Amino acid sequence: MNSSNDLSGKIALVTGGSRGIGKAIARELGSRGATIVINYLKNHSAAKAAVEELEAEGISATRIKAHIGDEAAVDALISKIKEEFGRLDILINNAASGVMRPAAELSAKHWDWTLDINARGPWMLSVASARLMPEGSRIINLSSPGSTRVFPAYFAVGVSKAAIEAVTRYLAVELGSKGISVNTVSAGFVMTDALDSFPDELGVKDIASRATPAGTVITPEDVSKVVAMMCSTDAEMIRGQVIMVDGGETLTHQ
């Protein structure tokens, strides 16, 4: 393994790491030597299965349940990591949720839930994690093209993704003096269970299953490799940026 890609000895927390893109990220970081902490909220069996899969591949992994939209739960999560490992080197803010409705059909409760998980949580978790992070640590937030483009029924999620990209810029400056790098990786439409939340009439699964200008569809592994690259020493001078992984899809108007 190229030394710049070697994450041996690193402790990595991946929120929403039991399935989809989060699981692929956990596997990729683990394959490069990192010890993986999977955070999840509800699905105990999926989290348990994910840890068992990683361990079967020779990756050191554990799981911790926590609602990242809740301040007390975030503090408890970081306390557990400190108690078990003493530090944290990599934070991947991947967990996301949201209510897929137009703005006029949303309630304040829907807004609060979506923003709490997708923007407030990563902010709180990043600040708390930074207290355990040595110089050279990495925080990577996950976003989507809906942060800048308008998709049907994507209002609350799109706003939350725009927010997390702003959080990235501010934290990149604020935490830069501590030697902590903060960036965002924005994934195009990837065929995962998360697409089940989109109304069928929007045809999102059709978009995810068609070839991008790169000639193939986007896979969770495509995203995970870019996230891992951003955790390497080669990315040291990339700060506060949004790295798009979409095979060129957002360059077209299809």
Side-chain angles (χ1 to χ4, degrees):
M1 183 182 298
N2 185 303
S3 60
S4 68
N5 296 326
D6 187 3
L7 300 177
S8 297
K10 304 293 186 182
I11 310 299
L13 170 61
V14 183
T15 68
S18 63
R19 60 178 184 163
I21 292 174
K23 185 177 177 181
I25 293 171
R27 175 176 282 112
E28 185 64 32
L29 296 180
S31 72
R32 300 185 185 208
T35 294
I36 304 300
V37 180
I38 286 177
N39 157 253
Y40 70 103
L41 177 57
K42 295 180 180 179
N43 198 329
H44 296 278
S45 59
K48 182 174 183 291
V51 168
E52 290 174 349
E53 286 180 35
L54 294 177
E55 290 179 333
E57 297 172 17
I59 296 170
S60 178
T62 189
R63 58 193 168 100
I64 302 176
K65 177 183 177 181
H67 176 17
I68 63 168
D70 179 83
E71 187 173 8
V74 166
D75 289 339
L77 170 60
I78 294 303
S79 293
K80 289 178 182 178
I81 292 174
K82 180 179 181 180
E83 181 179 346
E84 185 166 350
F85 300 104
R87 72 178 199 287
L88 183 64
D89 302 286
I90 297 169
L91 168 62
I92 310 297
N93 282 311
N94 165 76
S97 187
V99 180
M100 302 296 294
R101 295 182 184 179
E105 298 177 14
L106 283 171
S107 69
K109 182 178 180 180
H110 297 148
W111 169 277
D112 290 344
W113 172 261
T114 305
L115 271 292
D116 282 356
I117 297 292
N118 297 0
R120 183 173 181 261
W123 155 58
M124 292 191 299
L125 191 52
S126 295
V127 172
S129 295
R131 295 195 290 266
L132 296 186
M133 287 182 154
E135 185 173 349
S137 294
R138 300 286 191 266
I139 297 174
I140 309 294
N141 300 313
L142 273 290
S143 186
S144 81
S147 65
T148 56
R149 299 181 66 183
V150 176
F151 300 124
Y154 203 69
F155 175 75
V157 180
V159 170
S160 73
K161 293 304 185 181
I164 193 58
E165 292 179 12
V167 167
T168 295
R169 291 188 290 271
Y170 277 91
L171 288 182
V173 174
E174 186 169 332
L175 298 180
S177 62
K178 298 182 179 181
I180 300 171
S181 169
V182 186
N183 287 288
T184 289
V185 171
S186 180
F189 289 114
V190 182
M191 189 62 78
T192 67
D193 293 344
L195 297 191
D196 292 338
S197 61
F198 285 81
D200 292 338
E201 60 268 23
L202 298 183
V204 173
K205 290 184 179 180
D206 292 334
I207 297 173
S209 61
R210 74 188 183 196
T212 67
T216 60
V217 300
I218 313 162
T219 68
E221 289 69 31
D222 292 326
V223 181
S224 70
K225 290 175 182 177
V226 174
V227 170
M229 181 273 290
M230 295 299 293
C231 292
S232 75
T233 56
D234 287 342
E236 178 63 28
M237 294 307 291
I238 303 176
R239 304 291 178 108
Q241 300 303 307
V242 178
I243 309 301
M244 186 69 69
V245 185
D246 71 341
E249 183 69 29
T250 53
L251 300 176
T252 67
H253 297 281
Q254 301 172 16

